[in-house]
Amino acid sequence: MRLCLALFLLPAVAAAQSPVKRTYRTGERYKYQLETTAYRNGTLNAVTVAVCEITVVDSAGVPWEEVRWLSNRSIAKGDTTDHTADALATPAYRISLHDSGALPMPPLRNAAMTGAITDFNTFYVAVGKQSRATELVRPGMRLAKHYPVKGDFANGTTILKGEDCLQISVAMTGLGKSTIRLQTDFMPPAVPCLQFLLPGMEKPVAGDTLNNFQMQFPAGQGLMNFQYGREYFIIRSTLQRKGGYIREAVMENGLKLQLKLNCKEDGTACAREVPFEIYREVRLKRIM
């Protein structure tokens, strides 16, 4: 009798619904500003500000955000470099946080736009189903991906090969009447998932933490530079509950690396090898 009663009552018990849900309105337009402050070996290197405009479009019943980049300017040591022409030349592409959508990385053909495009995509991954954010139902709840995620950020020119491997976890850190706060961590995994470009790149550069980043880029005159080491991202996002869009977010990105300079293409006969650190703070803000 108890078993029958339990089975009868079971369908009436509704599972808790996640408040992290993006809803769209076709034709809606808005802009995001991406401000990046970058330090190299503890010294301020550059501040870059890029702006994109988004139009919500419908494709076969699925809403997509069509992204068009409008501007990109960088200030370094008092000099401003304007990459707006590169921003405007970037073909429009589509991403979506809808249940039936996806967050494909567009082709990275323009070196000047690689950082803005990859960072913007990462902010969306941090609050989407790819990070399990849409499964969170209450403050304090944390979920982790069951496997590390491998990324490819090569652009064919300034970055000939570029890979990272990150373990993603996400937590709901606050739930108010109008906003939701999330923290998404992209950390070195417990087990390696990179096939390193050169022998010795697997040797940890940050204590006993696994290396999870590698890059090859031209040094000029037929020579190559190689970087490898530890990378992490921590993203704190504030979502608007009505609509589920990102209102603002901040990313901390740290890399502790070894840099092999002026090597042959096979990584031998390098001129020297030096430690190198990068720290970036990237702020995303919806401005319209």
Side-chain angles (χ1 to χ4, degrees):
M1 182 66 179
R2 292 177 184 173
L3 178 60
C4 293
L5 181 61
L7 291 175
F8 178 75
L9 293 175
L10 186 60
V13 180
Q17 296 295 310
S18 173
V20 186
K21 184 177 179 63
R22 182 69 169 102
T23 56
Y24 290 102
R25 181 164 48 86
T26 302
E28 186 179 7
R29 285 192 176 187
Y30 41 94
K31 296 178 182 177
Y32 277 106
Q33 176 178 286
L34 199 68
E35 180 177 308
T36 304
T37 304
Y39 297 84
R40 295 188 177 183
N41 291 331
T43 301
L44 178 64
N45 179 61
V47 177
T48 302
V49 179
V51 175
C52 66
E53 182 179 63
I54 291 174
T55 304
V56 178
V57 298
D58 183 277
S59 178
V62 178
W64 294 86
E65 299 183 56
E66 189 166 85
V67 182
R68 295 181 183 274
W69 289 93
L70 303 180
S71 63
N72 189 2
R73 295 180 178 87
S74 180
I75 302 171
K77 297 181 180 179
D79 294 327
T80 301
T81 303
D82 195 336
H83 292 292
T84 295
D86 297 291
L88 294 171
T90 302
Y93 59 94
R94 294 179 178 182
I95 56 179
S96 178
L97 288 168
H98 187 268
D99 290 343
S100 300
L103 299 174
M105 184 71 72
L108 299 174
R109 300 191 181 101
N110 191 321
M113 294 302 297
T114 297
I117 291 172
T118 55
D119 284 341
F120 190 63
N121 194 275
T122 303
F123 277 112
Y124 270 52
V125 169
V127 300
K129 60 186 179 183
Q130 293 82 357
S131 70
R132 301 188 68 187
T134 55
E135 299 174 46
L136 297 171
V137 297
R138 61 183 181 277
M141 184 176 180
R142 176 177 288 275
L143 295 170
K145 294 284 284 186
H146 301 301
Y147 51 85
V149 176
K150 184 176 176 181
D152 186 337
F153 52 90
N155 59 27
T157 53
T158 56
I159 305 174
L160 300 180
K161 294 180 181 178
E163 295 178 322
D164 55 18
C165 177
L166 297 157
Q167 182 67 54
I168 304 175
S169 65
V170 60
M172 186 184 296
T173 57
L175 181 63
K177 290 182 178 180
S178 61
T179 61
I180 304 164
R181 294 194 304 277
L182 305 178
Q183 178 173 314
T184 313
D185 298 340
F186 301 75
M187 306 301 288
V191 294
C193 73
L194 293 182
Q195 187 73 34
F196 288 102
L197 298 172
L198 303 174
M201 278 189 168
E202 73 284 351
K203 183 179 179 181
V205 303
D208 57 0
T209 302
L210 287 177
N211 291 345
N212 65 330
F213 175 96
Q214 63 177 347
M215 188 168 82
Q216 177 185 351
F217 56 102
Q221 299 181 339
L223 299 175
M224 293 289 167
N225 294 331
F226 295 85
Q227 286 182 345
Y228 62 97
R230 180 227 63 201
E231 177 185 38
Y232 71 86
F233 296 90
I234 298 173
I235 297 180
R236 297 177 179 88
S237 308
T238 300
L239 309 184
Q240 194 72 23
R241 290 194 68 168
K242 184 177 180 180
Y245 60 82
I246 303 173
R247 193 164 82 176
E248 59 185 5
V250 60
M251 173 198 297
E252 298 176 32
N253 174 214
L255 299 99
K256 186 176 180 65
L257 308 169
Q258 284 294 113
L259 173 59
K260 299 167 75 73
L261 294 163
N262 298 324
C263 310
K264 290 184 179 180
E265 192 167 353
D266 63 0
T268 62
C270 301
R272 60 194 177 111
E273 182 170 344
V274 296
F276 191 63
E277 291 194 39
I278 298 171
Y279 177 80
R280 301 185 312 135
E281 184 177 273
V282 187
R283 293 187 174 273
L284 180 70
K285 183 177 182 181
R286 182 158 156 152
I287 57 177
M288 258 187 69

